[in-house]
């Protein structure tokens, strides 16, 4: 984990119709960008054409110009955190001690937080409901359960289980167990899915899904309909080619999916959809390389990558004209908001399915 600047995890949220869609999630590489100040100043609209978005939030923040772009984590459409941790030239403290900010109104305004260790290097940021974690290279992590009002120091170069990871009440740990987050710590479930390899767990509607792939690329999954008190092993049909990591994903409408990441991480993933059993999902004419792929409801999966933006639907991959580029990395927040990150902006796709809107957020150093 050390040396990794945030950008947590996966992808697009979209409208039911392909022609007028919006987007949804899967998970993670490029750093996320956008930050803040106690007295945000409304700046002129961004120079890029914005006819394809519904709203532009272009906010100036009281951060010295010498700082580079920030890391930003959105918990939901309103709550987010921004961390400025490096100078424009890539150096860190003492020239650019870490600056931490929070917003509760979707990035329209930001307030400064006290960073618990601003003079560290290789700063990291994780945020989920009820969890805010910052890290640096001082062999410790700092966790907050009150939105950054206070932090507790956690020693170690690797964050303790439960401090980081995808949003949700359940989390898989390296010891191969499913745990429930009780607000302060992870508690192992009494009943475990019993898979040969456990890599991740996720809630999808009324289901709790655990999944993993072994060293030979064989996929495994189990489901629970009672919050992990009992588990049922399920058959996952063999994919076309091996998978390195198998992740369960809950789409915004509660659909359960498995996304099989290839060993090279950029190969087009293997896909399965739960319809009383795991059904392989074809994607004819799909691109070879992807940046992100995420189920978005209504039986569809959104994809970004060098080929642009597209959707898998009805067994085919088709390009779509969304206000995103191949550089946007997509994750899905806890409330179903799509967060699309690029080096110079964040795009938010918000609202109920069928009536979603695009918001462009640019945080400029003042």
């Amino acid at each position: 984990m050390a040396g990794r600047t945030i950008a947590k995890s996966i992808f697009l949220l979209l409208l039911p119709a392909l022609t007028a869609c919006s987007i949804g999630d899967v998970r993670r590489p490029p750093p996320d960008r956008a930050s803040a100040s106690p007295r945000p100043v409304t700046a002129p609209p961004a120079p890029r054409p914005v006819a394809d978005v519904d709203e532009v939030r272009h906010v100036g923040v009281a951060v010295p110009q010498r700082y580079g772009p920030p890391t930003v984590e959105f918990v939901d459409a309103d709550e987010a955190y921004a961390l400025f941790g490096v100078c424009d030239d890539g150096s860190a403290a003492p020239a650019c001690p870490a600056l931490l900010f929070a917003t509760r109104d979707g990035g329209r305004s930001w307030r400064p937080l006290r960073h618990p260790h601003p003079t560290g290097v290789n700063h990291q940021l994780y945020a989920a409901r009820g969890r805010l974690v910052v890290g640096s290279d001082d062999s410790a992590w700092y966790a907050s359960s009150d939105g950054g009002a206070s932090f507790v120091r956690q020693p170690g170069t690797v964050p303790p289980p439960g401090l980081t990871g995808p949003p949700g009440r359940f989390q898989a740990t390296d010891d191969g167990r499913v745990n429930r987050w009780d607000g302060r710590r992870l508690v192992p479930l009494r009943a475990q899915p019993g898979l040969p390899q456990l890599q991740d767990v996720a809630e999808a509607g009324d289901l709790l899904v655990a999944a993993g792939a072994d060293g030979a690329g064989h996929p495994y999954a189990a489901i629970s309909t009672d919050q992990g008190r009992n588990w049922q092993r399920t058959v996952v049909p063999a994919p076309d080619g091996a998978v390195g990591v198998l992740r369960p994903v809950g789409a915004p409408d509660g659909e359960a999916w498995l996304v099989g990441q290839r060993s090279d991480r950029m190969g087009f993933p293997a896909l399965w959809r739960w319809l009383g059993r795991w059904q392989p999902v074809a994607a004819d004419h799909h691109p070879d390389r992807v940046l992100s792929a995420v189920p978005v409801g209504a039986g569809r999966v959104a994809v970004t990558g060098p080929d642009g933006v597209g959707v898998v639907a009805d067994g085919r991959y088709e390009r779509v004209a969304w206000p995103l580029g191949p550089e946007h990395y997509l994750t899905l927040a806890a409330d179903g908001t799509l967060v699309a990150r690029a080096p110079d902006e964040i795009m938010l796709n918000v609202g109920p399915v069928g009536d979603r809107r695009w918001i462009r957020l640019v945080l400029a150093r003042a």
Side-chain angles (χ1 to χ4, degrees), residues 252-305:
D253 61 359
E255 286 185 334
W257 288 73
L258 298 175
V259 178
Q261 179 180 291
R262 305 298 182 177
S263 57
D264 67 353
R265 294 178 175 267
M266 288 287 287
F268 196 88
L271 301 169
W272 296 263
R273 182 185 178 194
W274 178 257
L275 295 170
R277 58 191 175 94
W278 294 113
Q279 301 262 26
V281 175
D284 293 347
H285 311 300
H286 67 72
D288 292 331
R289 312 294 288 168
V290 301
L291 177 64
S292 61
V294 62
V296 296
R300 294 182 164 94
V301 175
V303 178
T304 63

Side-chain angles (χ1 to χ4, degrees), residues 111-122:
R111 74 180 192 282
L113 300 176
R114 185 190 65 82
H115 193 288
H117 189 65
T119 58
V121 295
N122 291 332

Side-chain angles (χ1 to χ4, degrees), residues 9-359:
S9 133
I10 298 162
F11 308 53
L12 273 90
L13 196 6
L14 95 149
L15 298 182
L18 259 180
T19 53
C21 351
S22 303
I23 329 204
D25 168 89
V26 127
R27 185 159 187 114
R28 148 171 237 141
D32 66 65
R33 310 301 191 194
S35 172
S37 130
R39 286 190 287 246
V41 179
T42 302
R48 187 177 115 171
V50 293
D52 52 3
V53 300
D54 300 284
E55 181 184 349
V56 177
R57 298 172 186 170
H58 196 277
V59 181
V61 297
V63 173
Q65 290 289 340
R66 67 179 181 275
Y67 278 81
T71 292
V72 177
E73 288 288 335
F74 268 84
V75 176
D76 54 35
D78 296 318
E79 181 183 356
Y81 299 89
L83 172 67
F84 288 85
V86 295
C87 296
D88 244 340
D89 62 3
S91 61
C96 295
L99 303 174
L100 184 63
F101 298 86
T103 182
R104 293 294 185 275
D105 58 11
R108 295 180 183 88
S109 64
W110 298 77
R111 74 180 192 282
L113 300 176
R114 185 190 65 82
H115 193 288
H117 189 65
T119 58
V121 295
N122 291 332
H123 291 283
Q124 299 172 64
L125 171 69
Y126 298 87
R129 282 184 172 165
R131 281 180 286 168
L132 171 63
V133 181
V134 295
S136 62
D137 276 358
D138 72 334
S139 300
W141 294 78
Y142 302 85
S144 174
S145 58
D146 54 14
S150 63
F151 287 88
V152 175
R153 187 177 186 274
Q154 304 278 351
T157 56
V158 176
L163 290 189
T164 63
R169 295 178 295 168
F170 298 91
Q171 187 171 327
T173 47
D174 291 339
D175 59 4
R177 293 191 292 180
V178 175
N179 304 261
R180 183 193 291 269
W181 177 255
D182 70 0
R184 301 194 339 179
R185 62 192 180 95
L186 287 177
V187 179
L189 299 184
R190 291 185 178 180
Q192 293 292 324
L195 300 177
Q197 179 71 35
L198 176 67
Q199 293 171 324
D200 208 351
V201 62
E203 292 181 272
D206 295 330
L207 293 181
L208 181 61
V209 184
D214 63 20
H218 301 139
Y220 301 93
I223 63 168
S224 172
T225 58
D226 56 10
Q227 300 295 293
R229 288 185 289 274
N230 296 279
W231 292 91
Q232 174 189 344
R233 284 281 298 272
T234 55
V235 175
V236 182
D240 179 13
V243 296
V245 176
L246 186 66
R247 303 218 179 272
V249 181
D253 61 359
E255 286 185 334
W257 288 73
L258 298 175
V259 178
Q261 179 180 291
R262 305 298 182 177
S263 57
D264 67 353
R265 294 178 175 267
M266 288 287 287
F268 196 88
L271 301 169
W272 296 263
R273 182 185 178 194
W274 178 257
L275 295 170
R277 58 191 175 94
W278 294 113
Q279 301 262 26
V281 175
D284 293 347
H285 311 300
H286 67 72
D288 292 331
R289 312 294 288 168
V290 301
L291 177 64
S292 61
V294 62
V296 296
R300 294 182 164 94
V301 175
V303 178
T304 63
D307 188 59
V309 185
V311 166
V312 175
D314 300 323
R316 294 174 55 87
Y317 170 89
E318 294 188 23
R319 294 283 299 274
V320 291
W322 291 334
L324 302 174
E327 76 283 1
H328 279 96
Y329 189 82
L330 304 144
T331 60
L332 198 62
D335 64 347
T337 295
L338 169 70
V339 183
R341 299 174 178 90
D344 60 344
E345 69 177 11
I346 284 183
M347 297 283 287
L348 303 175
N349 189 233
V350 302
V353 174
D355 187 25
R356 299 183 67 83
R357 50 197 295 268
W358 284 103
I359 298 169

